[in-house]
Amino acid sequence: MTTAVAPSTAALSAADRCDRCGAQAYLRVELQSGGELLFCAHHAREHGDKLKEIAANVVDETHKLSNTPASAADDER
Ligand SMILES: [Zn+2]
């Protein structure tokens, strides 16, 4: 018996680096064209909307960063 697993959504590791700045990557974007991009949390947020337009699949692990309390969540005034 063989068990079918999807290997394409592998978790990101500390060795994965942002394509823009070289920081640790928390977002993997698999493009519809077959390529792959890696972004840190900062650039994931900056390019997020655009990336979703061209992405076939997005692995978002930015929640791993939420161990530092972000007070900017509801910053209305
Ligand atoms: Zn970056």
Side-chain angles (χ1 to χ4, degrees):
M1 273 222 198
T2 45
T3 320
V5 269
S8 58
T9 50
L12 292 160
S13 76
D16 290 313
R17 295 286 153 181
C18 175
D19 288 333
R20 290 285 170 146
C21 68
Q24 185 174 344
Y26 285 95
L27 194 88
R28 182 206 304 277
V29 180
E30 293 167 17
L31 301 174
Q32 292 163 8
S33 57
E36 189 177 88
L37 295 172
L38 296 169
F39 291 98
C40 67
H42 173 89
H43 285 112
R45 202 163 297 139
E46 189 175 310
H47 302 290
D49 291 340
K50 189 79 178 177
L51 289 172
K52 275 164 190 154
E53 290 175 20
I54 59 170
N57 186 38
V58 176
V59 180
D60 186 347
E61 297 192 356
T62 52
H63 60 271
K64 283 186 177 178
L65 288 170
S66 56
N67 47 11
T68 45
S71 53
D74 272 306
D75 199 16
E76 287 182 88
R77 49 177 154 167

